[in-house]
Structures are given as C-alpha cells and as structure tokens.
Amino acid sequence: MYEWDFSVIYQYRWLFLQGLGVTIAFTIAIIIGGVTFGLVASSCLLSRFRLLRVVALAFIEVFRCTPILVQLVWAYYALPILAGVEMTPVTASLLALSCYGGSFYAEIIRGGIVSIDPGQSEAAAALGMTPGLAMRRIILPQALRRMVPALMNQSILQFKNTSLVSVLAVPDLVYQGQMVAHDSFRPLETYTAVAVGYFAILFPLTLYVRHRERVSGAKR
Amino acid sequence: MNTSLPMIEITALRKSYGDLEVLKEINLKVETGGVVSLIGPSGSGKSTLLRCINLLVVPDDGAIRVGKTAFSFGQALQPPRSRTLADFRSRTGMVFQNFNLFPHMSVLENVMEAPVHVRRLPKAAARDMAMTQLEKVGLADRAAQMPETLSGGQKQRVAIARALAMEPEVMLFDEATSALDPELVGEVLQTMQKLASDGMTMVIVTHEIAFARDVADRVVFMRDGYVVEDGPAREVIENPKSEATQSFLSHYHKARSAH
Ligand SMILES: Nc1ncnc2c1ncn2[C@@H]1O[C@H](COP(=O)(O)OP(=O)(O)OP(=O)(O)O)[C@@H](O)[C@H]1O
Ligand SMILES: [Mg+2]
C-alpha cells in the first residue's frame, strides 16, 4: 500500500512557484507572439496576392500538422545545423510555440473576419473608406468580439503546451516538477501538485470563456 | 439652359461576371438635381449598374463621369487604385436594401464615422454635421441608441443620414424599402422624396412603381443588361412604348385598376 506524503510539496514550494512563474511568463509571451503571427498570417490568407496566400497557408499547415514536440527539438537542434542560427533554449521555445499557436490563431482570426456580413465592408467602401481603414474601424472590431472565446480557448491550450519546453531544459513548472521528483523520490505527489497548479489557473479561465460564449450567443 | 454638363454620365458601359454579360452597352445621363428611377425584372442588372456608378463594381469597359471626376475602363487600361476609388466613393452616397449600419456603433457614431475618419473633420464639426443630418431624417432624438434598438424604417433613415453626412454630389438607392414591413415603407419614401425636392441628384432602384412615377423625373426600364426604355417618369409608366416594359408594368396596372 502506497503512503501518500504531500509534505514534500511544501518543502519544495519555492521551486514550484518559480516554475509556475516561468510557465505564466512563457504563456504570456507566446500568446502575444502567437497572436502577432496569427494576425500577419491571416492578413496574408485574405490578401489579393496569390503568393502571400500560398506562403501563409504553407506556414500554417506545417505548424498545425506536425507535433509541437518535434518543432521544439527542431528549432533548437536542427536550425543551428541547417541555417546556422544558434538560439538559447528559451528563444527556440518561444519561437516554436509562437509559430505553433500562431497557426491556430490565424485560422480563428481569418474565420472571424470572413464571418462578418460583406454588407459591412460594402457600406464602408461606399462611404469612401479604403480597405485598410474599413478593416481597422468596421470589420476587426466586430470580428474580434466574435473571436474572443475561440482565442481564449486556444490560449488555454497554449498554456498547457508550455509544459513541453521542459525537454529543452527551460525551468517551467513541469521541469521543476521533474527536478523535485528526482530529488524527493516522491513523483506521484509532485506530479499531482503540478497538475493541481495547472488546473487552478485554467479552470477559472475556462469558466470565464464559457460565460463569454453564453453572453455572445444570447446576443446573436 | 441646357449648356451645363449632366451630373452623371455613363457611356458604353459593360460588365460581365465570367461568361455572364450583366451590362451590355449602357448609356445614361442624369442632370444635376435630376431623379432617375431604375426599374426592371430581377436579374436585369439594376443593382450592378447602380454599383458601377460609385465603382463598388468596377466595369470592364466604357466610361463613367460623376461631377468632375471621370474614369475610363477597358482591357488596356489600369483599373483605378484603391485610394482613388475611395476618394471618388466618398463623394457619392449609397443606401442599401439591408441598411448595413455598423452594429458596434451608436446611431450618432454611425453617422460621424466617415466624416471623422474619411474627411478628417474635427470631432465637434463632425458631430454637428451628424446631428444636422439626423434632424433632417427626423431621428435626432435617437442619436445615442444602438442600431439594433431601432425599427427597420428608422435604420434606413439613419443609413440615409450617414450617407448625407459626407455631403455627396449624388445619392444612389438600391431597393431601399424592399426589406421593410409595409407599414414602415412610407417614412423612408417620404425622406427620399424630401431629399429629391431639396435638389439632390438621385438614382433609385425600386419596385415601388407609384413612387417612381410621382418622385422621379425619369424612369429607366432595364432588361437583360440593356436599357430598354428611358423617358419622363409619367410617360414610361402610364404609356410604355416597348412591349417588355408594358408586360413588366402590367402587374402594377392590373393591381391599380382593381382598386
Ligand atoms: N458578384 C457577382 N458575381 C456573379 N454574378 C453576379 C454578381 N452580381 C450579380 N450577378 C449576376 O448578375 C445579374 C444581374 O444582377 P443584379 O443584381 O444587377 O440584378 P438586379 O436587376 O439588381 O436584380 P434584383 O431585382 O433581383 O435585385 C444576375 O444574373 C446576377 O446573378
Ligand atoms: Mg438588385
């Protein structure tokens, strides 16, 4: 019979908190990076120019259809060999996770934009707005409002995806958990604590997204 | 007195969508202050012609002049740049069947939007301009409301005010009353009639034959991408010359003689 002993968690609390801090900081960075990538990629997808559309589509599908773990390893180990680009584990992780998330954000943003009634851009054009101004003032504000739940869902996934950066020895919550598990010989308690940490942050967020979805659903 | 140029001049205009030729050699002039009504069966090209006048649809061939701005189109010619198109469209007003108000802005913001962001008027001046136009359509007291809280007729009047706030040289109406409940049609037609009597140059696509007869100076009947008949409103509607116009109007005349 296994004797659970959660006192180790308290003993290593600072390591856990450090890890959590890294995870949160990473998530914020890759959400910003991902949304930026996504905005650029989705505007390319909607561009008049075929070349831009093709490049954006290729980018999106490559990152959507390959495992994020492979992308991380590839960014850190293969890019230096192939392209001579040396990166720290943190930079490589940020890049890979931003591109991975960005490819999903791009589809969400594109979908939000095309869901807006074409009559809106027509009315804007008829008033003398250039396509860029119409996008900024008329289409995006309406589209963003519709996209919020989907963007937040994707960001929740991004939060969990940060756990993979531990393979590049970035000291996030999972990495610190591994360290503690080794050190304390209490892997079950340690990983349970890690899971509780993720849950405590994500569960309130998912409740909020659900609430937002209900509100915007009722409005439509 | 007829030495002045017409406000709108359309010459040998053509437009195709793929293999479908929607406009075939259209010629049309509208005098300054003139009100022309476009009528014709569904699919005859009325909306396409109207959208060509403000270049929401770019024609394949021919020429368009509105006020002082002229464009020629053809295979050998570059299509106008989007900046040029935007400038041109800012001087024509268009009203759509489905209103197309901006749902994320209040009534006042809808009307102020283009004056502020396209004409770059100071906010205060744009607000004054917007309130003047809202008063003109009788909706100044609704300025703070959101579009979704208005009736269809009120929405369409806001859309008219929004177009007028750019002080356009011409106003284009595409079935402005077709999406309205019958009891709301009157208030919009009244607004349009007032605009016409104020001297606005207008092109109106409509199924309201009686309105076309009473408010327009001229009626243009289209079928299959051609202008079939073009003449004084009363004449075209009461005594159409072409057989196509007669049969199109027979419904209207039958309904009227039944009363
Ligand atoms: N963007 C488009 N792409 C392809 N075909 C189009 C497009 N717009 C219009 N058409 C076609 O062109 C023809 C003329 O359309 P248009 O909308 O000008 O007719 P209309 O006279 O306004 O008809 P309605 O009274 O039904 O509004 C129709 O056959 C229509 O299907
Ligand atoms: Mg039409």
Side-chain angles (χ1 to χ4, degrees):
Chain A
M1 194 49 194
Y2 186 74
E3 289 272 333
W4 292 86
D5 177 11
F6 280 100
S7 63
V8 294
I9 309 304
Y10 186 74
Q11 214 177 311
Y12 290 97
R13 62 191 179 280
W14 296 117
L15 271 186
F16 282 115
L17 284 179
Q18 265 174 27
L20 191 63
V22 169
T23 292
I24 290 174
F26 238 87
T27 306
I28 293 172
I30 62 173
I31 287 174
I32 294 173
V35 168
T36 310
F37 271 117
L39 271 173
V40 173
S42 60
S43 9
C44 291
L45 278 182
L46 295 169
S47 150
R48 284 181 294 145
F49 302 108
R50 212 184 117 82
L51 182 69
L52 283 181
R53 292 201 303 268
V54 170
V55 170
L57 198 69
F59 167 88
I60 289 169
E61 293 309 334
V62 163
F63 280 96
R64 276 212 304 189
C65 303
T66 54
I68 175 67
L69 189 63
V70 175
Q71 293 167 22
L72 279 168
V73 170
W74 210 82
Y76 185 59
Y77 295 104
L79 269 188
I81 301 169
L82 291 176
V85 191
E86 291 274 354
M87 278 184 291
T88 63
V90 171
T91 321
S93 309
L94 285 177
L95 185 74
L97 285 170
S98 295
C99 289
Y100 179 77
S103 64
F104 287 92
Y105 287 126
E107 276 300 321
I108 295 171
I109 295 170
R110 190 198 63 86
I113 289 172
V114 300
S115 78
I116 302 298
D117 173 12
Q120 292 287 306
S121 3
E122 276 186 353
L127 286 167
M129 295 192 188
T130 55
L133 183 65
M135 182 56 75
R136 194 160 56 77
R137 295 286 312 166
I138 308 301
I139 309 301
L140 267 187
Q142 295 181 55
L144 278 173
R145 224 168 279 191
R146 273 188 208 181
M147 286 178 231
V148 166
L151 289 177
M152 289 198 62
N153 270 326
Q154 186 57 41
S155 301
I156 285 171
L157 290 178
Q158 288 282 80
F159 186 92
K160 285 202 297 181
N161 287 338
T162 57
S163 63
L164 292 163
V165 301
S166 54
V167 299
L168 300 186
V170 175
D172 75 322
L173 183 55
V174 167
Y175 182 84
Q176 300 291 26
Q178 286 166 359
M179 295 298 111
V180 173
H182 274 291
D183 206 51
S184 65
F185 303 105
R186 285 279 171 190
L188 288 183
E189 286 83 348
T190 311
Y191 287 120
T192 306
V194 167
V196 168
Y198 276 87
F199 190 84
I201 291 190
L202 288 183
F203 185 59
L205 284 176
T206 60
L207 286 185
Y208 177 71
V209 173
R210 234 170 263 232
H211 167 75
R212 283 290 309 235
E213 267 168 351
R214 247 201 324 274
V215 170
S216 64
K219 246 183 156 178
R220 224 166 292 161
Chain B
M1 230 332 263
N2 235 341
T3 49
S4 65
L5 281 173
M7 176 63 87
I8 302 175
E9 196 166 3
I10 292 170
T11 320
L13 201 72
R14 285 172 185 281
K15 177 70 191 177
S16 300
Y17 288 111
D19 288 340
L20 182 69
E21 200 171 12
V22 179
L23 298 178
K24 305 161 185 166
E25 277 266 342
I26 301 280
N27 294 290
L28 186 71
K29 286 180 189 159
V30 184
E31 302 302 322
T32 305
V35 177
V36 168
S37 204
L38 280 180
I39 61 171
S42 181
S44 55
K46 308 179 296 290
S47 297
T48 308
L49 175 57
L50 198 72
R51 283 152 179 271
C52 281
I53 300 179
N54 69 352
L55 298 185
L56 220 45
V57 168
V58 178
D60 300 329
D61 208 22
I64 292 179
R65 185 180 56 74
V66 175
K68 293 195 180 77
T69 317
F71 294 95
S72 294
F73 304 93
Q75 272 179 344
L77 301 173
Q78 282 281 329
R81 309 181 142 275
S82 63
R83 177 88 248 166
T84 317
L85 286 178
D87 276 345
F88 175 68
R89 291 189 194 123
S90 72
R91 283 174 278 118
T92 60
M94 181 170 246
V95 176
F96 301 86
Q97 182 173 348
N98 296 318
F99 330 126
N100 294 340
L101 292 182
F102 304 136
H104 58 306
M105 298 179 181
S106 71
V107 164
L108 181 64
E109 286 165 344
N110 262 276
V111 183
M112 283 173 65
E113 178 64 19
V116 171
H117 292 278
V118 177
R119 284 178 76 185
R120 296 178 183 285
L121 289 186
K123 277 249 165 78
R127 183 182 305 262
D128 289 346
M129 161 63 73
M131 287 311 293
T132 310
Q133 300 309 334
L134 282 173
E135 252 151 54
K136 209 182 265 181
V137 301
L139 289 172
D141 54 333
R142 306 291 172 133
Q145 278 177 232
M146 295 306 279
E148 65 198 8
T149 66
L150 300 178
S151 74
Q154 291 169 334
K155 282 183 192 162
Q156 195 58 299
R157 282 148 65 201
V158 172
I160 293 173
R162 179 176 70 176
L164 289 175
M166 291 297 282
E167 302 186 295
E169 293 175 301
V170 305
M171 284 284 282
L172 311 170
F173 294 84
D174 194 355
E175 302 196 24
T177 58
S178 296
L180 298 177
D181 294 336
E183 73 271 19
L184 300 177
V185 169
E187 59 185 82
V188 172
L189 291 183
Q190 226 171 24
T191 308
M192 289 165 65
Q193 180 154 26
K194 206 168 97 199
L195 203 54
S197 56
D198 286 350
M200 178 61 78
T201 308
M202 291 162 63
V203 182
I204 303 170
V205 173
T206 186
H207 289 155
E208 303 281 339
I209 305 295
F211 178 76
R213 184 197 57 198
D214 297 337
V215 176
D217 334 303
R218 260 170 60 217
V219 166
V220 170
F221 175 73
M222 286 183 71
R223 203 183 68 169
D224 297 334
Y226 290 106
V227 170
V228 176
E229 196 157 343
D230 176 351
R234 231 157 240 290
E235 223 172 282
V236 173
I237 286 172
E238 302 297 348
N239 297 305
K241 291 198 181 59
S242 93
E243 219 168 281
T245 321
Q246 281 164 12
S247 86
F248 177 76
L249 289 171
S250 64
H251 263 301
Y252 161 73
H253 287 301
K254 241 183 251 148
R256 214 164 49 130
S257 57
H259 280 288

